Amino acid sequence: PLLQKWQALKDNDPTLFPVLECISNICVAFGFQFERFAKPIFDRSIRLMESVLVGTARHNQDNKLELPNKEFLICSVDMLSRLCVALKHKMEPLVSQSNLMPLLYEACKETEPDYVKSCFALIGDLSRCAFSCVAPYV
């Protein structure tokens, strides 16, 4: 039921915040057993990050455009950190086959300390579980 609710919510629905937080806690509790659920959650977290970063860039070019809710960035980055904690080295294939590192690089340019803090925490987690993906960006 929880994953069905998560799947039913749109990417811009603020109800997604508590659902993602709940899933992230379950993820850590399950550890490696969470692997079978990881790919769609990883992919959606990447999509949320990308949406916020692209929306912010568009807003910066044309301030008439609505600024995206950057809480989606924090929630998705925090979810990815929890996946790192749970999956450890099993996270590396997901990271290597994604655009996470370029997105994370862009997200680290944010000026809001909370966003940057979450991004650097994720870099630290990725350094432990997928260092070969992080190394080119260090």
Side-chain angles (χ1 to χ4, degrees):
L2 180 61
L3 290 178
Q4 289 171 348
K5 179 165 180 72
W6 170 77
Q7 290 170 335
L9 293 170
K10 295 186 181 207
D11 283 353
N12 61 353
D13 187 338
T15 309
L16 197 55
F17 300 142
V19 175
L20 272 174
E21 186 173 347
C22 182
I23 291 172
S24 73
N25 288 321
I26 292 169
C27 169
V28 171
F30 275 43
F32 287 123
Q33 294 173 343
F34 197 79
E35 184 178 13
R36 67 185 174 132
F37 306 110
K39 177 88 170 109
I41 292 171
F42 179 88
D43 290 345
R44 188 165 191 187
S45 296
I46 296 292
R47 189 172 70 236
L48 290 169
M49 279 182 73
E50 189 168 30
S51 176
V52 170
L53 292 169
V54 167
T56 300
R58 288 183 180 152
H59 171 79
N60 290 343
Q61 291 175 349
D62 180 0
N63 64 4
K64 293 176 186 166
L65 295 174
E66 186 176 341
L67 187 63
N69 185 342
K70 292 188 179 182
E71 286 300 312
F72 286 105
L73 178 66
I74 291 178
C75 283
S76 59
V77 167
D78 290 347
M79 181 71 238
L80 293 169
S81 284
R82 295 295 185 99
L83 280 171
C84 286
V85 170
L87 300 180
K88 299 185 182 358
H89 67 279
K90 292 184 177 195
M91 185 77 168
E92 189 162 12
L94 294 173
V95 176
S96 67
Q97 297 170 12
S98 74
N99 62 341
L100 173 59
M101 293 311 300
L103 288 174
L104 193 53
Y105 177 79
E106 287 304 312
C108 285
K109 296 177 182 178
E110 285 290 325
T111 56
E112 182 65 35
D114 287 341
Y115 305 130
V116 176
K117 178 182 168 189
S118 288
C119 292
F120 280 115
L122 177 55
I123 291 170
D125 291 334
L126 288 168
S127 295
R128 288 190 292 274
C129 68
F131 185 73
S132 65
C133 300
V134 176
Y137 292 88
V138 178

